[in-house]
Amino acid sequence: MTTQPLQFVPGSEFKRRAAKVVADPFLKKSFRGAMDFLMAKRAAQFPDPELLERQRTLAEHIRRYSLARMPQLLEQLEANLVKNGVKVHWAENSDEANAIILGICRQHDAKLMVKGKSMVSEEVELNHAMDAAGIDALESDMGEYIVQLAGEKPSHIIMPAIHKTKQDIAKLFAEKVPGVAYTEDVDALIQVGRDVLRKKFMDADIGLSGVNFAVAETGSLCLVENEGNGRMCTTVPDVHIAITGIEKVVEKLEHVVPLYGLLTRSATGQAITTYFNVITGPRREGEKDGPREMHLVLVDNGRSQAYADEQLRQTLQCIRCGACMNHCPVYTRIGGHAYGTTYPGPIGKIVSPHMMGLAATHVLPGASTLCGACGEVCPVKIPIPDLLIRLREEATHDAKPGHAPLVGQGAGKTTFASLAFKGFAFLYSRPALYRTFVWAATRFRFLTPGKQAGWTDSRTPLKPAAKSLRDLLAERENRGS
Amino acid sequence: MQRNIPDGPRPTDIYFFATCLVDLFCPEAGMDAIQILEREGIRVHFPENQTCCGQPAYTSGYADEARLVAAKQLDLFPEDWPVVVPSGSCAGMMFHHYPKLFAEDPVRKAQADALSGRVFELTEFLLKVLKVQFKDAGQPTKVTLHTSCSARREMGTHLHARELLGQLSGVEVLMQSHESECCGFGGTFSVRQPEISAAMAGDKADALKKTGAEVFLSADGGCLMNINGTLEKRRDSFRGQHLASFIWERTGKNNGGQA
Ligand code: SF4
C-alpha cells in the first residue's frame, strides 16, 4: 500500500494549508467537536486540581530523572534485553532505522508485516521504505488502518483518523475493501476492519510495534493500547520488531505506573487502557506462544540534539499523550495535516525542528499565540511556550558563541524582522525618543494606514488615541487636580 | 497558578506601569485605573521614562533586543513600592520572564528578581493587596469577561477579575463557551498567521456576543484591540471595554466606590 512521503513544507505552504482548513466550516465543526469531546473526557478524570498537580510533578520528576541518566539507562536496557534474548539495534536516523528493519525482513524473506500503532515508525516513514522494498506493511490499529487505506498520514498522534467522519470512512471502505457495501453503522465498519486484519495477523511474517516505556532494570518493553492489535502484533507472528525513540527509557517498573496513569487519562480520558503489555523477551522454552525472535530498534533521529541542551532536553520528557494538541486552539482550527510533520500540534512544534531541522520547520514554533494551554495540561510539565520562544530565537539567530548550532540554525532569519526588532529596541530603550514618537503618533494619527498587513484582513486598523496617557496625565497636572 | 501575597501594611505609594498599548491605544483605561487607585487613597507615581516591557521582541525570539528595552524598565522603580500594571501580559512578562531574561547578568538578575516580587496585575492588586470593597452605583447590567491567557496562566488572575465584578451588585457576569480559550492575538502572531488568528478572534467574538451580555470586559489591551477590531470590521456594535474603565464608571467615579 503506498503512502506519500513527508515533504519539505515551507512556511508559505503551512499557511496555505492552514488557511484552507480554517475556511472549511465542515472541518472546523468536526475538529472543534472532537477536541471538545476529548477535553471534557480528560477533565472528568482529574476532578481534583491539587492531586493532579502532585501527579504531574511526580511524572515530571520521573521523566527528568530518567533523562538525566539516559546514557547509563540505555546501556542497562540493552544489557538486560540481550539477556532476555532480544536483539538490540541502534539507528542514528530514519534511513538507518529503515535499513535495519529491512535487513531483518530480508533475513526472514518476509512478504507481510503487520503493524501495531507506532508514531516512531511514522516518523522514520517505515511504510514508505517497506513499500519501496516490495514488503506489504499493514497497519492494524483501526485509525492507522483507515489513514493507510486513504493513502494519508495520521493527523493526531493518538487518534490518527480524527479528521475523518463516519461518512468518509464508510465511503473509503466501500471503495477500497473488496466486497464491502457502503454502511455508516460504526460497529459494522469496525467489524469490516477486524475481519480484514484478523486474517493478516495469521499470515504475517513480522509483527511491528512501538514502545511506550522501556524499562532498563528488567529489560521490558511496555505497550499501551486499546484494541488488542498490539498484543496480536507482538505475539502471533514469528518475529517481533519493536521500534522506539531513545528517550523512552525509564529505570524501573515502578516508574511506569504513575506515567501510565497520567498517559491514558490525559490522552483519551480513560483511567486505564484495555490492554497493557509488558514484553520481556521472545518465546521461551516450553511456552506455547509468542514470537520466536525479537528485536528492538532504538532511534535517535535528532533526539541527541535536543538532549545536548539543558532547556531543549525537556522536549524529551514527552510521553506522547496528545493532550497538548487536544487543548491547542491552533491545532483545533487547522488539524494535524497542515503542520506537514509526523507529530502535529504543540509537541510537534517543539520536537520536529530536531528531527527535520529548522530549515524545514522554523515557521512552526512561530505559529502559536503562546497562550499556554499546552503547558497547562502537559502531564510531564514540559514548558512548551518557553521552548517555542527558545526555538524562535534559534530560528532567527546564529548559534551563540560556545554553543553548537542546531540543524538549520538561523534558517528563519529575515532582514526585515531583524531590522524591525533592532528598531524596536532602539526606540523603546530611549525614553526621550519614545516620548517624541508617542507625541507624533497621536498628533499625526490621521496618517495611520488603513491597511495594515495581516491585521486589517479581519480587523479595523489600529489607530493611536488622540491623546496618550502621558498627555492626559500632564493635562491633569496643569489643571491642578 | 495563583501567587501567594503575604499580608502586610497597606501601601501608600505605587508605581504605575501603563504599558505601551495603554499609553498609545487605550489611555482612558490607564487613566481610569489610576483614578481607582487614587480613590483608594494611594499616591500613584508614573515614571516618565517608561516605554514597553519588551515582550514583543522577547516572544518573537529577539531576546537581546528585549533585554535592552527591559533593562531600561528595571531602572524605573527605585523605591520599594508595588508596581501596578493594567495588563496581564505585560505583568506576566515582568513577573515571569524578566528573571529568566537576565539569568546571566547577576546585577540585572537581582533587580529583576526584586521587581518580579512587587509587580502586580491591576485586579490582583485591587483585590489581594488593597482588599477593595466596591459599591455598585449603576443600573443592573449583564457583562461577560474575557481573561487574557497570560493573566490566566502566568498571573493566575482570572479569578480576581471575576471576584471584583462579584462585588458589583447590579452586574451579572455571564459565562461564554470555551471561556479559557485564547482570542488569537498573540502579539506578532496576529500578523504572521493572520488566517488562524482571524479564525480564533472570530470565534471568541461570537462566543462573547452569544452570552447576551451588553458588553464584554477584559483587563488586557491586546485582547481588547483584537476582539474589538474584529467586531468593528464586521460592523457589529457589540464591544469590549477595559475592566478598569467599567469599574470606574460603575462605582460612580469620584463620587463613590467605597462600601
Ligand atoms: S508534550 Fe506533554 S501534552 Fe504534549 S504529547 Fe507530550 S506529554 Fe502529552
Side-chain angles (χ1 to χ4, degrees), chain A residues 121-396:
Chain A
S121 80
E122 292 286 348
E123 174 191 329
V124 302
E125 308 212 45
L126 179 67
N127 291 3
H128 191 64
M130 293 296 110
D131 193 37
I135 296 166
D136 206 0
L138 183 72
E139 297 288 351
S140 67
D141 171 272
M142 196 57 66
E144 290 278 353
Y145 175 67
I146 293 166
V147 290
Q148 189 180 33
L149 265 189
E152 294 174 1
K153 292 258 155 199
S155 66
H156 188 288
I157 63 170
I158 302 289
M159 282 139 296
I162 193 117
H163 58 289
K164 290 232 174 291
T165 60
K166 200 165 56 177
Q167 291 78 9
D168 291 340
I169 297 165
K171 227 169 93 196
L172 183 70
F173 279 17
E175 261 169 36
K176 296 272 171 86
V177 186
V180 171
Y182 184 93
T183 170
E184 290 182 13
D185 178 346
V186 175
D187 290 334
L189 287 170
I190 291 178
Q191 204 48 52
V192 168
R194 286 227 175 106
D195 290 345
V196 173
L197 293 168
R198 188 130 315 230
K199 289 188 211 103
K200 299 284 184 175
F201 286 123
M202 303 302 162
D203 300 342
D205 310 294
I206 309 261
L208 187 125
S209 78
V211 174
N212 292 91
F213 311 103
V215 186
E217 200 178 61
T218 57
S220 309
L221 307 179
C222 305
L223 186 59
V224 177
E225 50 136 354
N226 275 315
E227 297 175 14
N229 67 311
R231 184 156 303 171
M232 297 291 277
C233 288
T234 57
T235 53
V236 179
D238 264 348
V239 182
H240 169 211
I241 307 173
I243 179 170
T244 197
I246 50 173
E247 82 284 12
K248 290 280 168 67
V249 67
V250 296
E251 187 181 15
K252 307 164 191 244
L253 270 172
E254 69 195 67
H255 289 170
V256 171
V257 181
L259 297 176
Y260 176 45
L262 279 182
L263 171 63
T264 61
R265 286 181 166 86
S266 305
T268 47
Q270 289 172 282
I272 194 164
T273 44
T274 323
Y275 292 84
F276 181 74
N277 308 284
V278 183
I279 305 164
T280 312
R283 181 190 299 204
R284 303 216 171 102
E285 281 261 323
E287 286 180 345
K288 294 214 173 69
D289 57 10
R292 293 180 195 279
E293 192 179 308
M294 196 181 147
H295 300 260
L296 174 67
V297 183
L298 285 157
V299 180
D300 185 324
N301 201 26
R303 287 163 175 82
S304 292
Q305 173 177 292
Y307 190 80
D309 180 280
E310 203 190 325
Q311 188 187 22
L312 298 173
R313 180 182 290 185
Q314 296 174 97
T315 314
L316 304 180
Q317 285 166 219
C318 177
I319 55 171
R320 303 282 192 268
C321 72
C324 55
M325 52 200 79
N326 300 344
H327 290 74
C328 174
V330 173
Y331 178 89
T332 303
R333 298 296 180 312
I334 68 175
H337 286 149
Y339 293 81
T341 51
T342 301
Y343 305 92
I347 178 61
K349 288 174 183 175
I350 59 172
V351 77
S352 307
H354 301 294
M355 296 170 172
M356 302 166 76
L358 274 167
T361 56
H362 67 84
V363 68
L364 297 178
S368 161
T369 64
L370 303 175
C371 77
C374 49
E376 189 176 52
V377 296
C378 176
V380 290
K381 289 195 165 188
I382 302 177
I384 300 173
D386 287 349
L387 297 177
L388 292 171
I389 293 175
R390 169 71 190 278
L391 289 167
R392 289 177 184 189
E393 186 174 359
E394 303 300 343
T396 51

